[in-house]
Amino acid sequence: MHSTPDITFVGGGITGLLCARLFALAGASVTIIDKNQIGQESSWAGGGILLPLYPWRQADAISQLVIPSIKAYPKLVQDLIDATGINPEYLVSGLLMNSLPDSDDAHAWSNKYAIKTSIASSKQRQQFPHIQDSSLYLPGIAQVRNPRLLKSLKQDLLQRGVKIIENCAIEKVTIKDNHIIEITSHTETLPVKQLVVSAGAWTGSLWPQLLGKTEPTSAKVFPVKGQMLILDAPIGVLDTMVLENDRYLIPRRDGKILCGSTVEHADFDKTTSAQAKQSLVNFAHNLLPELRSAPVIHHWAGLRPGTEQGIPYIDQHPKIQNLAISAGHFRNGFAMGPASAQLLYDLVTEQTPKIDPTPYQLSAQH
Ligand SMILES: Cc1cc2nc3c(=O)[nH]c(=O)nc-3n(C[C@H](O)[C@H](O)[C@H](O)COP(=O)(O)OP(=O)(O)OC[C@H]3O[C@@H](n4cnc5c(N)ncnc54)[C@H](O)[C@@H]3O)c2cc1C
């Protein structure tokens, strides 16, 4: 017989883990269930840039979660290092954006949210021969190294007594008097007090599977494949993140350089293609010719939890009193992570959220 945790998360990517941590810090007993190993899906596959690619082109509801998250990262990362000794490699490497036809909008957005900007430095101009006058440098933008942040979070949660159940796909819930009383996988049934669905790209199909055909709400979350690769370059070849026409380079601390990413609608297919690899390699070589001698050491794909406008669903179910959702963070699950977790925490614990929860509701147009 299992004792019933205060809160149970279905899905242990960055979304579930960050939120679980807030409940654990508040003294709740927490269980996280994942159909694979936690932190191995979209969250593992991502680039870890702590800013949407072109935030001014996106819904303001995204910036509302990004700005407080950016501010929260330094403390979060330091706390994780202190607790676990695992460094998530938070690095303020700055972001150089080239080829901006809407640089006026970019400046207006940066001013509104007090994000520091500057023009490209002379070193950057020498390094990137085709840099344009409209380019914009954001020196304060940071990155994290996804696998390390996830490892550190997992270790921290385990140390705080959070129960992690892996290789357990939840397939069914039992609802009684508008309450979920238990959840069921292929092999086990677990009692629940409060349930959060944080199942990333799988949420769109899992939600109706769990709640049935007559369920009035829908969580329109769908998989959007992203392919990415990493180049083995010596330290010092690149020291800032660079973005051009939706593609980017991210230099890690050890010199390795990530190059991303494709945006493909291919259902749940995670295979990589030679064509995408070549296209990413061409981008990298064209942007930074020095990379021609840097071999590709890994190429992978992940499934972003897409929504129409990239706005996640963060809400309590309107009828089922102990069911909440946090899913659909699309391209910005890390950039929105800490504030997204805080919003869900506030809603579940019935505290007044610091940001307006309306755009993230199940009933909102996503
Ligand atoms: C190539 C690429 C680049 C990206 N770059 C960035 C970036 O630079 N910055 C940024 O902020 N974001 C980026 N992202 C997006 C970011 O990675 C995602 O928004 C984020 O990882 C979503 O996290 P999640 O926890 O919601 O989903 P996931 O990490 O996918 O986690 C969902 C979890 O739910 C589990 N699950 C699903 N169904 C069930 C079930 N029935 N039972 C139990 N468990 C279940 C899955 O196994 C999975 O572990 C990128 C994504 C990709 C693919």
Side-chain angles (χ1 to χ4, degrees):
M1 184 66 192
H2 295 274
S3 67
T4 310
D6 294 325
I7 185 156
T8 304
F9 290 83
V10 176
I14 190 71
T15 304
L17 297 182
L18 284 176
C19 201
R21 186 168 180 272
L22 292 184
F23 282 92
L25 285 172
S29 57
V30 182
T31 293
I32 303 170
I33 302 171
D34 202 287
K35 68 180 173 61
N36 302 326
Q37 307 232 295
I38 66 168
Q40 293 299 304
E41 290 292 350
S42 185
S43 298
W44 182 90
I49 305 174
L50 300 181
L51 192 80
L53 294 189
Y54 302 97
W56 56 91
R57 295 180 196 168
Q58 302 182 33
D60 196 51
I62 294 176
S63 295
Q64 293 300 323
L65 290 174
V66 168
I67 299 301
S69 294
I70 289 177
K71 292 182 183 148
Y73 264 102
K75 178 173 180 342
L76 169 67
V77 165
Q78 194 54 55
D79 288 350
L80 288 173
I81 295 172
D82 292 346
T84 69
I86 302 167
N87 189 341
E89 296 194 9
Y90 172 86
L91 188 63
V92 184
S93 49
L95 176 64
L96 178 64
M97 297 174 159
N98 193 23
S99 191
L100 285 185
D102 50 357
S103 62
D104 287 350
D105 294 344
H107 280 285
W109 182 88
S110 304
N111 288 339
K112 177 175 174 190
Y113 289 109
I115 299 291
K116 245 198 236 157
T117 60
S118 73
I119 54 167
S121 66
S122 50
K123 184 181 164 204
Q124 288 167 341
R125 283 177 183 278
Q126 275 170 10
Q127 193 168 26
F128 306 106
H130 63 285
I131 200 148
Q132 295 171 358
D133 287 343
S134 64
S135 68
L136 185 67
Y137 183 51
L138 308 182
I141 300 306
Q143 55 164 296
V144 287
R145 196 161 186 162
N146 301 28
R148 301 200 184 180
L149 175 59
L150 294 161
K151 192 173 171 192
S152 179
L153 270 171
K154 180 177 181 179
Q155 180 63 32
D156 183 63
L157 292 171
L158 287 170
Q159 287 172 198
R160 293 182 191 285
V162 171
K163 187 171 176 191
I164 295 176
I165 305 175
E166 297 182 312
N167 303 310
C168 178
I170 296 305
E171 296 170 345
K172 201 175 144 243
V173 296
T174 308
I175 304 173
K176 204 173 158 197
D177 298 332
N178 287 328
H179 271 83
I180 295 182
I181 52 169
E182 52 190 30
I183 56 177
T184 306
S185 74
H186 191 51
T187 50
E188 50 189 322
T189 293
L190 302 156
V192 292
K193 283 188 193 155
Q194 167 74 46
L195 187 69
V196 179
V197 174
S198 47
W202 292 265
T203 305
S205 47
L206 186 61
W207 193 254
Q209 178 190 335
L210 297 181
L211 301 180
K213 286 200 182 98
T214 56
E215 167 59 21
T217 64
S218 65
K220 293 184 204 110
V221 184
F222 47 86
V224 182
K225 177 156 88 173
Q227 296 190 48
M228 183 114 125
L229 49 82
I230 191 160
L231 298 146
D232 196 7
I235 292 178
V237 167
L238 180 66
D239 56 14
T240 188
M241 298 183 281
V242 197
L243 171 65
E244 187 181 279
N245 297 329
D246 220 29
R247 296 248 158 123
Y248 49 82
L249 298 178
I250 309 173
R252 297 303 198 201
R253 263 198 346 196
D254 58 6
K256 294 193 174 53
I257 297 175
L258 263 78
C259 177
S261 61
T262 65
V263 178
E264 302 166 63
H265 294 268
D267 207 8
F268 288 94
D269 169 22
K270 274 203 300 183
T271 52
T272 55
S273 69
Q275 191 196 6
K277 182 177 180 181
Q278 195 55 52
S279 151
L280 291 169
V281 166
N282 290 348
F283 166 78
H285 290 179
N286 198 22
L287 187 66
L288 190 59
E290 277 168 277
L291 291 179
R292 285 181 199 278
S293 54
V296 173
I297 46 175
H298 192 34
H299 171 209
W300 66 91
L303 299 174
R304 306 177 185 96
T307 60
E308 217 51 64
Q309 295 182 56
I311 303 172
Y313 294 92
I314 306 168
D315 200 5
Q316 273 278 15
H317 191 279
K319 244 182 150 177
I320 303 172
Q321 286 161 22
N322 61 343
L323 174 63
I325 183 170
S326 185
H329 294 69
F330 194 29
R331 303 192 78 170
N332 298 303
F334 284 72
M336 297 193 281
S340 160
Q342 187 65 50
L343 176 57
L344 187 87
Y345 178 85
D346 290 344
L347 294 172
V348 170
T349 56
E350 297 181 357
Q351 297 180 51
T352 307
K354 286 190 190 69
I355 64 166
D356 175 10
T358 318
Y360 318 99
Q361 287 170 349
L362 284 158
S363 57
Q365 289 297 318
H366 284 249

